[in-house]
């Protein structure tokens, strides 16, 4: 068995490939990180090498000390991962206090983890505490309908959540917590990482105006499905706007009824008319 055959690497490759097929990853757009389980680490350890230098993460994520992450390389195209995982992705190990990382596998032709690694790490850190370690996947995609929607709807969590929930009945079931939206910020740095992780304390979905979407989830399927659902709802919203706007749509009582049926608690702030 080689590294690329391990189940978690296969799951990662499938998700990256599916995202590329959706048209969410033009060029090197978007990136994916996965926090390894103890079982993954046991299987992958024979392939690790510890000869690369420690590098500053620019954010300190103490609760993730010594954890391992499978991550997209910066500048790499997600569509190419399936052809050459060793050249396009890497496993990075954090040091004891979560302030530095080193590459222990992958990126065999050189390179570094995604420029959004600070945002990924801070989101993993927040979700690690919020879910008791259940969430393992953070995914960033350049989702066209969501980006288009940031051109027409102001960055307001309540307005966005209502707009997306109203576009498709399943939405409040898939993301009952709603979505958070950031105004435009410079990407790739510490500031946007901190702002995104603040939203992730409350939501599993964070939208970056004029840029794309970040989602967090337990496993590859659920995280990909969440991204897909948000993007599809945004697409329906934009189609409706292009067709002349909403003539009728779902009402607050409809969301309350869905919540009762599925045993969900929807935040009060999204249930005001
Ligand atoms: P990377 O190539 O560094 O992953 O950047 C892509 C991207 O989407 C930046 O937001
Ligand atoms: Zn991006």
């Amino acid at each position: 068995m080689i590294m690329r055959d391990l189940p978690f690497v296969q799951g990662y490759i499938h998700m990256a490939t599916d995202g590329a097929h959706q048209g969410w990853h033009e060029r090197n757009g978007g990136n994916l990180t996965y926090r390894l389980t103890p079982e993954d680490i046991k299987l992958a350890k024979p392939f690790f090498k510890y000869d690369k230098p420690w590098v500053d993460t620019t954010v300190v994520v103490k609760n993730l000390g010594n954890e391992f992450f499978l991550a997209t390389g910066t500048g790499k195209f997600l569509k190419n991962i399936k052809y050459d995982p060793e050249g396009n992705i890497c496993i990075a190990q954090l040091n004891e206090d979560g302030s530095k990382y080193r590459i222990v596998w992958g990126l065999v032709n050189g390179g570094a983890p995604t420029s959004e690694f600070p945002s990924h790490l801070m989101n993993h850190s927040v979700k690690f505490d919020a879910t008791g370690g259940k969430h393992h996947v953070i995914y960033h995609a350049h989702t066209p309908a969501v980006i288009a929607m940031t051109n027409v709807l102001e960055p307001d969590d309540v307005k966005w959540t209502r707009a997306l929930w109203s576009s498709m009945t399943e939405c409040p079931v898939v993301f009952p917590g709603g979505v958070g939206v950031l105004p435009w910020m410079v990407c790739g740095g510490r500031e946007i990482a901190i702002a995104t992780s603040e939203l992730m304390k409350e939501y599993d979905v964070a939208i970056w105006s004029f840029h794309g979407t970040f989602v967090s989830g337990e496993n590859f399927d659920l995280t990909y499905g969440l991204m897909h659902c948000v993007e599809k709802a945004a697409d329906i919203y934009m189609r409706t706007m292009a067709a002349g706007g909403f003539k009728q749509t779902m009402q607050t009582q409809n969301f309350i009824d869905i919540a009762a049926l599925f045993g969900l608690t929807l935040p009060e702030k999204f249930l005001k008319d």
Side-chain angles (χ1 to χ4, degrees):
M1 204 181 239
I2 58 171
M3 189 72 162
R4 70 166 72 183
D5 297 327
L6 297 183
F8 76 94
V9 182
Q10 281 295 306
Y12 183 104
I13 293 171
H14 282 131
M15 181 162 160
T17 305
D18 289 346
H21 285 155
Q22 290 283 358
W24 299 341
H25 301 296
E26 80 293 340
R27 211 173 174 277
N28 62 312
N31 25 74
L32 173 62
T33 56
Y34 169 76
R35 183 171 56 81
L36 275 65
T37 65
E39 180 60 23
D40 297 328
I41 296 167
K42 208 155 69 189
L43 294 170
K45 236 177 183 155
F47 303 101
F48 291 172
K49 285 204 180 107
Y50 302 96
D51 55 351
K52 299 271 185 339
W54 290 101
V55 179
D56 214 323
T57 54
T58 74
V59 292
V60 180
V61 282
K62 272 206 176 81
N63 61 344
L64 299 178
N66 299 318
E67 294 278 345
F68 291 83
F69 295 87
L70 183 55
T72 318
T74 183
K76 303 301 183 188
F77 295 19
L78 266 74
K79 77 178 183 65
N80 291 338
I81 293 173
K82 73 168 176 177
Y83 304 112
D84 180 18
E86 293 80 4
N88 288 289
I89 57 179
C90 66
I91 292 180
Q93 176 192 20
L94 291 189
N95 66 350
E96 184 94 33
D97 70 0
S99 64
K100 291 183 182 351
Y101 73 85
R102 65 176 171 187
I103 294 173
V104 296
W105 175 86
L107 288 176
V108 289
N109 305 311
T114 170
S115 60
E116 305 295 2
F117 205 38
S119 281
H120 281 260
L121 287 178
M122 286 209 70
N123 291 342
H124 276 292
S125 172
V126 161
K127 286 300 181 192
F128 186 86
D129 284 347
T131 68
K134 263 200 203 154
H135 278 205
H136 283 266
V137 185
I138 299 287
Y139 183 33
H140 169 52
H142 291 181
T143 39
V146 165
I147 298 169
M149 202 167 145
T150 64
N151 292 324
V152 301
L153 192 63
E154 65 199 84
D156 177 284
D157 300 357
V158 174
K159 286 187 179 154
W160 267 78
T161 299
R162 286 291 296 226
L164 295 174
W165 280 4
S166 304
S167 295
M168 205 166 67
T169 296
E170 286 285 295
C171 285
V173 181
V174 178
F175 46 100
V179 303
V181 193
L182 283 184
W184 185 84
M185 293 179 75
V186 175
C187 58
R190 204 177 121 75
E191 303 272 292
I192 200 164
I194 293 168
T196 310
S197 68
E198 278 302 312
L199 290 182
M200 283 289 181
K201 285 181 184 164
E202 192 174 345
Y203 308 112
D204 289 340
V205 183
I207 286 153
W208 285 3
S209 289
F210 324 133
H211 186 141
T213 312
F214 261 90
V215 292
S216 173
E218 288 183 32
N219 58 39
F220 294 118
D221 268 354
L222 288 173
T223 314
Y224 179 86
L226 176 57
M227 184 70 85
H228 199 182
C229 190
V230 170
E231 170 61 5
K232 188 166 183 181
D235 186 40
I236 292 164
Y237 180 89
M238 293 307 290
R239 287 182 198 213
T240 307
M241 296 303 272
F246 287 79
K247 304 272 186 297
Q248 63 273 321
T249 191
M250 291 175 68
Q251 304 299 311
T252 299
Q253 189 57 48
N254 302 140
F255 300 130
I256 293 169
D257 292 345
I258 290 170
L261 182 69
F262 286 87
L264 303 166
T265 311
L266 303 177
E268 270 303 312
K269 65 176 173 179
F270 300 133
L271 297 174
K272 294 198 177 99
D273 284 319

